Amino acid sequence: MSSEKLTLLVLVFGIINFITLFSFIVWRISSKVKSRIKQNKVDHYGDDAEKKVVDFLKKNFPRAVIMKDVYLKTNNGLTELDTIFISNKGIFIIEVKSHNGYIITEGKFWTQRWRDKVVRFHNPVHQNNVHKAALENVLRKRQSLLSLPIYTVVVFTSSNVTFSKNVKDVIKLSSLSYYIKRRKTDRRMTRDMIKRVESFISTNMETSRHRQTLHKKRIYENNAKKRAYRVNFR
């Protein structure tokens, strides 16, 4: 083989290797970017809706205490409470939902119908029951906090939402102030008690960002596997 042919062969071989390596690098970068975008959606899904609720509570109840994204331990790992609202009326566990359209409020999974899509999602009332049990387990560690009133409420932030039937403790954001104010309790919480509750919950929260991220990832993967949050385009 002549030196010219050998040189050309080496050049072609080098170009092929370069293209292969370059393609691999582009694929790796693209995979990492997609993974980060996906994780970012998981980490911040519903943030806008939760902010609406927090802003609403701050405006209407400036002296109350608001705790966001509270992670508590359960027998099955962690559970995340969107918002804990503590006032003289008691402790309110608020599950926030941003869904709009027509919501079929029946069964283990509820269904959202909006324009050309149908979305199934976990029954938020059942979710809040888990949250309440986790919070009760925390408060059970302190005798003086055992008898405090705890309420659970699911709040839909969209004004463009209707329900197939009304469900107890499921409301729109516009009704949240009235819902809180009309709670009747035999034990009104003092300012000192409110701060003590906040402090005690804070000391029993899971604060590890790594564990919180693992929890969100597990929830996301389980939902994908079970098709819990399924979207059908019609």
Side-chain angles (χ1 to χ4, degrees), residues 157-173:
T157 57
S158 173
S159 58
N160 186 20
V161 64
T162 56
F163 307 106
S164 61
K165 65 177 181 180
N166 293 330
V167 178
K168 185 176 181 293
D169 301 324
V170 176
I171 62 175
K172 295 182 182 181
L173 180 57

Side-chain angles (χ1 to χ4, degrees), residues 57 111 150 210 230:
L57 292 171
T111 303
I150 301 177
H210 176 65
R230 183 173 64 196

Side-chain angles (χ1 to χ4, degrees), residues 79-93:
T79 188
E80 180 185 3
L81 286 65
D82 290 340
T83 304
I84 298 178
F85 173 79
I86 312 171
S87 73
N88 61 352
K89 290 283 189 175
I91 305 169
F92 294 78
I93 302 172

Side-chain angles (χ1 to χ4, degrees), residues 24-208:
F24 175 75
I25 293 173
V26 170
W27 174 79
R28 288 286 294 174
I29 293 174
S30 176
S31 297
K32 287 184 178 181
V33 170
K34 288 180 180 179
S35 178
R36 287 178 182 175
I37 292 174
K38 180 179 177 181
Q39 186 60 50
N40 188 63
K41 287 181 178 180
V42 173
D43 290 341
H44 299 285
Y45 178 79
D47 280 2
D48 290 344
E50 291 176 20
K51 185 178 184 304
K52 282 184 181 180
V53 171
V54 170
D55 289 346
F56 180 91
L57 292 171
K58 286 181 177 179
K59 178 181 178 180
N60 290 277
F61 304 93
R63 292 179 57 80
V65 168
I66 303 168
M67 304 178 72
K68 290 177 52 184
D69 302 324
V70 177
Y71 288 83
L72 299 178
K73 294 178 181 179
T74 70
N75 293 332
N76 298 316
L78 297 181
T79 188
E80 180 185 3
L81 286 65
D82 290 340
T83 304
I84 298 178
F85 173 79
I86 312 171
S87 73
N88 61 352
K89 290 283 189 175
I91 305 169
F92 294 78
I93 302 172
I94 304 175
E95 176 69 15
V96 182
K97 293 299 177 185
S98 59
H99 302 74
N100 51 18
Y102 182 67
I103 310 297
I104 300 175
T105 54
E106 296 179 6
K108 183 178 180 181
F109 295 101
W110 288 5
T111 303
Q112 172 196 19
R113 296 183 181 275
W114 172 243
R115 294 178 180 172
D116 293 329
K117 69 179 181 180
V118 178
V119 180
R120 295 175 68 240
F121 60 99
H122 287 292
N123 182 328
V125 176
H126 293 174
Q127 287 181 296
N128 240 3
N129 289 338
V130 174
H131 299 159
K132 182 178 180 180
L135 182 58
E136 286 175 336
N137 284 337
V138 168
L139 299 180
R140 203 169 282 125
K141 299 175 184 178
R142 182 67 60 83
Q143 187 68 29
S144 61
L145 305 181
L146 281 176
S147 59
L148 295 179
I150 301 177
Y151 306 99
T152 59
V153 58
V154 178
V155 175
F156 282 79
T157 57
S158 173
S159 58
N160 186 20
V161 64
T162 56
F163 307 106
S164 61
K165 65 177 181 180
N166 293 330
V167 178
K168 185 176 181 293
D169 301 324
V170 176
I171 62 175
K172 295 182 182 181
L173 180 57
S174 57
S175 301
L176 182 56
S177 179
Y178 175 73
Y179 178 90
I180 293 172
K181 290 177 179 179
R182 72 184 179 91
R183 296 300 101 184
K184 295 181 179 179
T185 176
D186 294 331
R187 184 179 179 184
R188 294 180 69 85
M189 293 172 58
T190 63
R191 188 66 185 169
D192 178 65
M193 176 61 75
I194 290 172
K195 298 303 292 184
R196 283 169 56 196
V197 170
E198 178 190 22
S199 177
F200 192 71
I201 293 175
S202 296
T203 59
N204 286 274
M205 288 168 47
E206 176 56 74
T207 57
S208 167

